[in-house]
Amino acid sequence: MSGAPGAPPLFLPDVAFPPYRFVPGHTKHPFAQVGGYAYGERPAPPPFVARDDWRANAAFLRGCDFFNRGWWWEAHEAWESFWHVAEGRDPAQHALHKALIQLAASALNRERGHDRGADELLVTALGGLQRAALEAGGAQLLGLDLDALARDAQHHLARPTAAVNGFYIVPR
């Protein structure tokens, strides 16, 4: 998949994207609707990966790949799979993944014209980024500068728009 114009390179270039981007009300739900690309399936939970080894966290990186191409629901799903695994094991990663899930949901709501929901999710996500930084003992986590991510989120998600463009999550 070539991706969105200006999007950073894929972190997992050998992992194919699904056949379509799920948008509620516009495409079939991948798991729940007959004809969805993974109807009746649920992927197994990913393994737990320590925060210092984030480059080996396929669920985190897959979420970044989806997010950076505007596949908001798929990013949400990838991050949610690891969020469940991190619960009770690493409060910082748990908080960060929850915030990432909310950013993806905010972007999806923004593009669907559900601005009130997008606003609420953005506020919650920004609080989650602050919690993640507190839990991590600093503003760096999983290769992300959480303060910069919060500023980027506010810049790209704080106002109504038909398309969320130029907002990328790029761990370094």
Side-chain angles (χ1 to χ4, degrees):
M1 154 158 217
S2 62
L10 293 169
F11 291 101
L12 301 174
D14 297 330
V15 181
F17 272 53
Y20 60 86
R21 172 183 176 241
F22 175 59
V23 178
H26 296 281
T27 56
K28 290 189 180 283
H29 188 284
F31 306 125
Q33 285 184 288
V34 174
Y37 62 76
Y39 175 68
E41 300 174 21
R42 284 308 282 185
F48 177 76
V49 179
R51 71 174 81 159
D52 292 339
D53 200 19
W54 63 265
R55 288 174 182 85
N57 187 334
F60 169 64
L61 296 174
R62 181 87 161 141
C64 292
D65 282 345
F66 283 136
F67 189 93
N68 293 341
R69 276 140 185 89
W71 289 50
W72 314 120
W73 184 85
E74 290 78 7
H76 174 283
E77 286 290 301
W79 288 325
E80 186 174 45
S81 70
F82 188 78
W83 174 66
H84 288 295
V85 171
E87 185 173 16
R89 294 181 174 170
D90 186 333
Q93 284 198 81
H94 188 256
L96 175 59
H97 279 78
K98 184 174 183 178
L100 294 172
I101 291 163
Q102 292 163 331
L103 288 176
S106 177
L108 180 60
N109 274 286
R110 190 63 78 201
E111 286 192 351
R112 295 179 67 215
H114 299 153
D115 294 323
R116 182 174 170 197
D119 291 342
E120 291 171 0
L121 285 160
L122 176 59
V123 168
T124 305
L126 294 173
L129 292 173
Q130 289 177 335
R131 276 189 300 287
L134 287 171
E135 292 288 350
Q140 295 289 321
L141 182 61
L142 305 188
L144 298 172
D145 176 332
L146 302 182
D147 293 335
L149 179 56
R151 285 189 303 274
D152 286 349
Q154 287 176 309
H155 176 75
H156 291 283
L157 296 175
R159 61 191 181 290
T161 184
V164 177
N165 293 318
F167 182 22
Y168 305 118
I169 296 179
V170 184
R172 300 185 194 284

